[in-house]
Amino acid sequence: MNNFEYSRATDVADAVRQIAADPAAKFIAGGTNLIDLMKYDVERPARLIDITRLPLKSVEETRDGGVRIGALVPNSDLAYHPLIEQRYPLLSSAILAGASAQLRNMASTGGNLLQRTRCFYFYDVATPCNKREPGSGCAAINGINRINAILGTSEACIATHPSDMCVALAALEAKVHVMGPSGERSIAFEDFHRLPGDTPHLDNNLGPNEVVTAIELPAEGYAANYSYLKIRDRLSYAFALVSVAAALKLDGGRIKEARLALGGVAHKPWRNRDAEAALRGEAPGRAAFEKAAAALLAGAKGYSHNSFKIGLARRAIIRTLTQAANATPQIQSVKKIR
Amino acid sequence: MNRPPVAQAGPRHTSTPATFPVTLTINGEKRTMDVAPWTTLLDLLRDRFDLTGTKKGCDHGQCGACTVLLDGRRVTACLTLAVMKDGSDVVTIEGLASGDALHPLQQAFIDHDAFQCGYCTPGQICSAAGLIAEGKAKTADEIRELMSGNICRCGAYPNIVAAIRQAMGAMGGKP
Ligand SMILES: Cc1cc2nc3c(=O)[nH]c(=O)nc-3n(C[C@H](O)[C@H](O)[C@H](O)COP(=O)(O)OP(=O)(O)OC[C@H]3O[C@@H](n4cnc5c(N)ncnc54)[C@H](O)[C@@H]3O)c2cc1C
Ligand code: SF4
Ligand code: FES
Ligand code: FES
């Protein structure tokens, strides 16, 4: 790890002031991603601004029936919060599918959003990587790309966003509240993370001097019919090869509303309105689910080691929709896929 | 997030910025030490306080060998900067027994032969203490899932689960 200066931010305005004053500084919250990357010399900030003392630690109901989650709420507290467990069980389940109990105790809501890819070459400073070093090339495209993306890729980068929590937040259409030098703004979840294009060094649309202050959930939590299914190389404590968040509203034997998002397959949680439209008005069942899977995976492209993800994702989508429709969501501690 | 390239393009930072006084209550004893900001809690415990019960396995959050209780919650000390935890309470494996009386988890690990080489054991036991305090695990499946952050290279898992179940019963759910 490189040597660095350390300072504490006293409030949100102070955090913004400090980050704007030092272009080589980074915020640190739980530290579970940043310290890891610093130990590999992938990140080398000259200063860390500790934001853990900011008052962003509450989970509160909003006036329009939604919930506002402070950026520093630990992942474990969020997953087990009664409001989230009862009204947004999809979010609870997705968080509990990720990392380990220790890491969830440390990791913050904001940090989870901003965690960086687990692409092997991004982590290995001896190899070319356009995300780590713009213009150096992409070692994954013709390398060991088993864990890499199949959707929304570019010639420059085929990395995935590794978060589980974000897949549920995408399906639930959360909003991200941020504060910067010119004030507050909020970003729709689908506009928060980016596709790599020819600027893979940018993971998301957060400005260089902005701090994430909160995530807001809309009132509708799809608590009756949902499931989060994560497929990985071992049964726990591993990143997703493919994960699916499905949420349905059923009415008189028909699907009234549907939300579907994929993790582990793209540079951002993957949604596609055509897939959701394909479900609306249909009777829940294999025929409709297959159509939705085909729509969601339209344009999927495999590389030398990850073509298996296309078929895996198709089957996982159908299974997760079935679990949601039957109100038998995957339980993260039970490893048998129901 | 437009920061990474800026930070990476810069030279490796070699100046030695100030150290910070950090006060921690470690196993019930208040201790203060000047630390460089890049010192992890794990290195502080092992190298500066000579509390070598907490182990370094991967140093990257992947194995759980360095698990300690920080303000009552289990965390991996290798990904925790000591300077950020000024004022906190830390319990390590050295702080679990009361005098010569072993903690129920320590006794249960002996009763069930829940280790071979023992390298992961301090982390397993501290993690299990955190698990019991959290109160979310009731079934063996739930114990396995919520202990998955602790890897055992010797594969003592079935005995570890049995030991935790025994201690859970003995402790009535209290840490
Ligand atoms: C072994 C291991 C396994 C894991 N497995 C999984 C998994 O299966 N699924 C999963 O989803 N995740 C997994 N994770 C990743 C984990 O979820 C993230 O590391 C964590 O969520 C990051 O949060 P943090 O608070 O620790 O972030 P930090 O490391 O503190 O910060 C991460 C980044 O976000 C920035 N940042 C943090 N907070 C803010 C803010 N409020 N505003 C602006 N910028 C901010 C920091 O500057 C930094 O660049 C795993 C991690 C490890 C180490
Ligand atoms: S896929 Fe992206 S992160 Fe991985 S090596 Fe290529 S450019 Fe780097
Ligand atoms: S040494 Fe900390 S998790 Fe492995
Ligand atoms: S007892 Fe040897 S690693 Fe667990």
Side-chain angles (χ1 to χ4, degrees):
Chain A
M1 188 155 38
N2 63 295
N3 294 1
F4 55 85
E5 318 254 352
Y6 170 81
S7 57
R8 286 184 190 130
T10 51
D11 55 30
V12 173
D14 181 45
V16 171
R17 224 177 293 119
Q18 287 199 36
I19 197 100
D22 187 349
K26 293 208 86 166
F27 291 130
I28 183 159
T32 61
N33 190 227
L34 186 53
I35 294 175
D36 184 33
L37 289 167
M38 286 170 69
K39 286 183 176 184
Y40 283 113
D41 264 353
V42 174
E43 302 262 22
R44 295 198 298 259
R47 167 189 297 274
L48 288 186
I49 302 166
D50 178 354
I51 56 171
T52 56
R53 289 163 202 238
L54 303 188
L56 305 172
K57 292 176 185 150
S58 63
V59 177
E60 285 162 8
E61 289 194 83
T62 58
R63 240 176 300 158
D64 51 6
V67 169
R68 190 181 162 104
I69 303 155
L72 291 171
V73 174
N75 287 181
S76 50
D77 290 13
L78 184 57
Y80 293 126
H81 195 285
L83 268 178
I84 305 300
E85 280 186 328
Q86 285 154 27
R87 291 183 45 204
Y88 307 93
L90 175 65
L91 178 57
S92 249
S93 184
I95 294 171
L96 294 178
S100 67
Q102 290 95 317
L103 291 162
R104 294 191 295 266
N105 278 341
M106 303 161 74
S108 66
T109 304
N112 193 313
L113 238 58
L114 295 159
Q115 64 174 296
R116 310 212 65 198
T117 187
R118 308 303 286 206
C119 175
F120 304 137
Y121 303 98
F122 176 71
Y123 265 82
D124 182 354
V125 294
T127 60
C129 168
N130 287 325
K131 185 179 279 298
R132 183 166 31 76
E133 226 175 293
S136 63
C138 170
I141 284 198
N142 295 308
I144 304 299
N145 46 38
R146 174 177 163 79
I147 66 167
N148 291 68
I150 53 169
L151 285 157
T153 55
S154 72
E155 292 285 294
C157 178
I158 59 170
T160 64
H161 191 260
S163 167
D164 291 293
M165 183 184 92
C166 290
V167 183
L169 290 175
L172 292 168
E173 293 194 347
K175 268 193 288 203
V176 184
H177 293 285
V178 310
M179 173 71 98
S182 46
E184 266 184 290
R185 63 181 182 123
S186 74
I187 307 168
F189 206 79
E190 64 183 327
D191 299 327
F192 189 77
H193 295 102
R194 301 165 57 101
L195 289 181
D198 53 12
T199 53
H201 59 290
L202 302 175
D203 294 346
N204 55 59
N205 290 313
L206 188 70
N209 298 324
E210 286 181 323
V211 59
V212 174
T213 54
I215 306 276
E216 189 178 331
L217 296 169
E220 179 56 66
Y222 295 87
N225 294 94
Y226 74 93
S227 188
Y228 186 76
L229 181 61
K230 179 176 182 181
I231 312 286
R232 45 193 151 173
D233 277 332
R234 53 185 194 207
L235 290 175
S236 185
Y237 200 19
F239 287 92
L241 288 168
V242 167
S243 72
V244 188
L248 300 172
K249 278 209 92 72
L250 303 177
D251 188 22
R254 299 264 153 197
I255 298 168
K256 203 171 143 211
E257 195 54 61
R259 296 285 177 76
L260 204 48
L262 297 181
V265 296
H267 203 257
K268 60 190 284 190
W270 193 257
R271 263 184 88 194
N272 170 339
R273 298 300 156 96
D274 295 344
E276 295 168 12
L279 289 166
R280 236 171 274 133
E282 298 293 320
R286 183 136 193 132
F289 298 162
E290 276 178 4
K291 254 193 259 169
L296 189 53
L297 292 168
K301 172 178 174 224
Y303 294 83
S304 40
H305 298 281
N306 73 353
S307 297
F308 74 95
K309 280 194 180 188
I310 301 174
L312 182 63
R314 191 179 59 79
R315 294 188 297 277
I317 293 165
I318 295 167
R319 182 65 74 104
T320 314
L321 281 167
T322 308
Q323 293 176 331
N326 295 342
T328 52
Q330 184 65 36
I331 294 167
Q332 301 306 344
S333 60
V334 177
K335 297 304 167 183
K336 195 169 172 335
I337 296 175
R338 44 205 300 196
Chain B
M1 203 212 330
N2 302 331
R3 299 224 143 220
V6 179
Q8 276 146 32
R12 208 186 154 95
H13 214 69
T14 46
S15 68
T16 35
T19 57
F20 293 78
V22 171
T23 301
L24 296 168
T25 304
I26 302 176
N27 299 329
E29 201 186 317
K30 208 169 197 168
R31 304 179 74 166
T32 302
M33 186 73 90
D34 278 331
V35 302
W38 49 87
T39 310
T40 62
L41 178 58
L42 177 58
D43 289 343
L44 176 68
L45 290 170
R46 289 182 56 85
D47 300 345
R48 309 281 300 278
F49 288 130
D50 209 22
L51 290 166
T52 54
T54 308
K55 301 301 182 211
K56 185 181 283 193
C58 64
D59 213 21
H60 287 279
Q62 299 178 355
C63 75
C66 65
T67 304
V68 298
L69 298 168
L70 183 74
D71 295 324
R73 294 157 67 105
R74 48 179 166 159
V75 301
T76 54
C78 69
L79 292 184
T80 302
L81 293 180
V83 68
M84 292 175 67
K85 301 302 169 188
D86 186 31
S88 290
D89 183 83
V90 181
V91 176
T92 69
I93 189 69
E94 289 91 343
L96 285 179
S98 340
D100 284 340
L102 292 182
H103 185 278
L105 274 163
Q106 291 172 311
Q107 187 59 51
F109 268 63
I110 293 171
D111 294 347
H112 289 271
D113 212 1
F115 46 81
Q116 287 179 42
C117 77
Y119 198 80
C120 71
T121 312
Q124 298 278 2
I125 290 179
C126 287
S127 185
L131 169 99
I132 294 172
E134 287 156 14
K136 300 295 178 189
K138 306 275 186 303
T139 64
D141 273 346
E142 288 165 347
I143 293 173
R144 273 190 283 272
E145 171 64 13
L146 293 173
M147 286 295 294
S148 70
N150 293 83
I151 308 291
C152 176
R153 184 77 173 64
C154 301
Y157 298 111
N159 299 8
I160 292 171
V161 173
I164 294 172
R165 296 193 87 166
Q166 171 181 314
M168 228 173 215
M171 292 158 67
K174 279 187 273 302

